[in-house]
């Protein structure tokens, strides 16, 4: 299967009410395709800069916010480790003001809490890590946190999906208390939760009203899911979607 942007966008058309899209392409590039004029606020998507796409430039948080604002994004998705580092010597209220000055919200944040692992002690530590991350997100007015299968990516580790479901629900209940929605993130290179169907099963079977999946063009292709399955997810089930350009992807490495 080739990586086809049109096919991916066509699949997403089934989630027309999707409230937030994390995109590596600024909205002005979309406007350049001469689409019919759309009234302000009428688009079903909001455009958010996934800061993972500019990590190679080694920018500060302030610089990332400036880049997102100047490019015309509506929101930004920061890395938790950067927020933690910033908070050691600065007030997050100052960062929140900078976000506001650039007309940006925090729609999601990228964290790496080990919520899914079999080791109970490590899992408890992972939940504490997630709690700290959620507190940072809330302080910035954010609402979501990525929940990838950290600690369960090796071929030697196989997590039963029913156990993963119970652990995700525990993470969701923590999110209820903190005011943040953890999103099951698909990692295409991982032994666990590498396919859209696996992430969807964990979210659906959790039985939690806020359960949702975080999908990514790269990880969908890498894990072998493709894009057609996206039509089966509602706007509530797929609140953030990562659009990244990868002209050549080797599924075997």
């Amino acid at each position: 299967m080739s990586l086809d942007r049109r096919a991916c966008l066509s699949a997403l058309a089934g989630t027309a009410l999707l409230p937030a899209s994390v995109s590596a392409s600024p909205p002005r590039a979309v406007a350049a395709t001469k689409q019919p004029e759309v009234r302000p606020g009428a688009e079903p998507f909001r455009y958010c800069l996934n800061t993972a796409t500019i990590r190679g430039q080694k920018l500060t948080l302030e610089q990332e916010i400036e880049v997102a604002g100047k490019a015309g994004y509506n929101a930004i998705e920061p890395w938790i480790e950067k927020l933690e580092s910033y908070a050691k010597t600065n007030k997050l209220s100052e960062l929140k003001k900078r976000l506001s000055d650039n007309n940006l919200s925090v729609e999601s944040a990228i964290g790496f809490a080990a919520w899914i692992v079999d080791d109970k002690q490590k899992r408890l530590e992972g939940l504490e890590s997630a709690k700290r991350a959620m507190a940072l997100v809330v302080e910035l007015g954010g609402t979501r946190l990525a929940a990838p299968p950290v600690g369960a990516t090796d071929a030697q580790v196989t997590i039963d999906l029913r156990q993963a479901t119970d652990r995700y629900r525990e993470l969701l209940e923590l999110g209820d208390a903190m005011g943040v929605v953890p999103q099951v993130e698909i990692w295409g290179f991982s032994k666990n939760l590498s396919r859209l169907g696996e992430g969807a099963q964990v979210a659906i079977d959790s039985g939690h009203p806020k359960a949702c999946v975080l999908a990514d063009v790269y990880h969908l292709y890498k894990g072998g899911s493709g894009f057609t399955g996206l039509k089966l997810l509602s706007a509530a089930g797929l609140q953030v979607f990562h659009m990244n350009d990868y002209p050549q992807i080797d599924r075997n490495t």
Side-chain angles (χ1 to χ4, degrees):
M1 182 186 72
S2 63
L3 187 58
D4 190 321
R5 178 187 290 272
R6 288 189 178 183
C8 180
L9 292 176
S10 295
L12 281 175
T15 57
L17 297 179
L18 197 67
S21 175
V22 179
S23 171
S25 301
R28 64 185 58 186
V30 177
T33 60
K34 296 183 179 180
Q35 297 289 337
E37 185 175 352
V38 179
R39 298 189 310 277
E43 282 192 324
F45 300 98
R46 299 182 73 244
Y47 298 93
C48 174
L49 175 63
N50 177 356
T51 57
T53 62
I54 56 173
R55 275 178 66 81
Q57 283 64 45
K58 302 185 184 304
L59 304 179
T60 64
L61 260 175
E62 296 93 333
Q63 289 172 327
E64 290 177 343
I65 290 171
E66 184 179 358
V67 166
K70 287 184 176 180
Y73 284 98
N74 309 122
I76 192 168
E77 185 181 34
W79 280 52
I80 290 298
E81 64 179 33
K82 272 201 168 184
L83 292 178
E84 290 174 333
S85 178
Y86 179 91
K88 289 178 180 178
T89 55
N90 302 275
K91 294 181 178 179
L92 283 179
S93 58
E94 297 173 355
L95 194 67
K96 186 176 181 180
K97 184 180 184 304
R98 188 180 293 269
L99 287 163
S100 178
D101 290 343
N102 283 273
N103 298 312
L104 297 171
S105 61
V106 176
E107 292 298 331
S108 180
I110 302 172
F112 300 98
W115 61 274
I116 196 174
V117 296
D118 282 330
D119 187 292
K120 185 176 181 179
Q121 182 57 40
K122 289 183 178 179
R123 197 164 65 250
L124 290 174
E125 292 171 359
L127 289 174
E128 283 300 313
S129 176
K131 184 177 181 179
R132 292 191 298 270
M134 290 177 182
L136 294 172
V137 172
V138 168
E139 198 164 346
L140 291 176
T143 54
R144 303 178 187 88
L145 177 69
V150 174
T153 60
D154 296 336
Q156 295 79 11
V157 180
T158 301
I159 304 291
D160 183 276
L161 288 182
R162 293 190 179 187
Q163 291 181 316
T165 294
D166 293 338
R167 294 165 189 174
Y168 178 50
R169 184 175 180 88
E170 188 174 4
L171 186 64
L172 284 161
E173 290 170 350
L174 173 62
D176 285 340
M178 297 297 295
V180 174
V181 177
Q183 311 157 97
V184 174
E185 184 173 8
I186 308 304
W187 271 4
F189 59 81
S190 174
K191 170 67 176 179
N192 298 281
L193 298 187
S194 63
R195 299 181 69 89
L196 180 62
E198 293 171 339
Q201 178 180 332
V202 168
I204 292 169
D205 288 348
S206 72
H208 194 285
K210 294 181 181 177
C212 58
V213 176
L214 173 56
D216 181 300
V217 167
Y218 164 76
H219 288 296
L220 287 175
Y221 183 83
K222 183 73 173 177
S225 294
F227 308 122
T228 55
L230 293 170
K231 292 180 179 179
L232 300 176
L233 298 178
S234 68
L238 182 62
Q239 300 179 22
V240 173
F241 184 78
H242 287 175
M243 288 290 293
N244 310 297
D245 286 327
Y246 287 89
Q248 294 181 338
I249 300 175
D250 186 351
R251 282 176 164 166
N252 300 314
T253 58

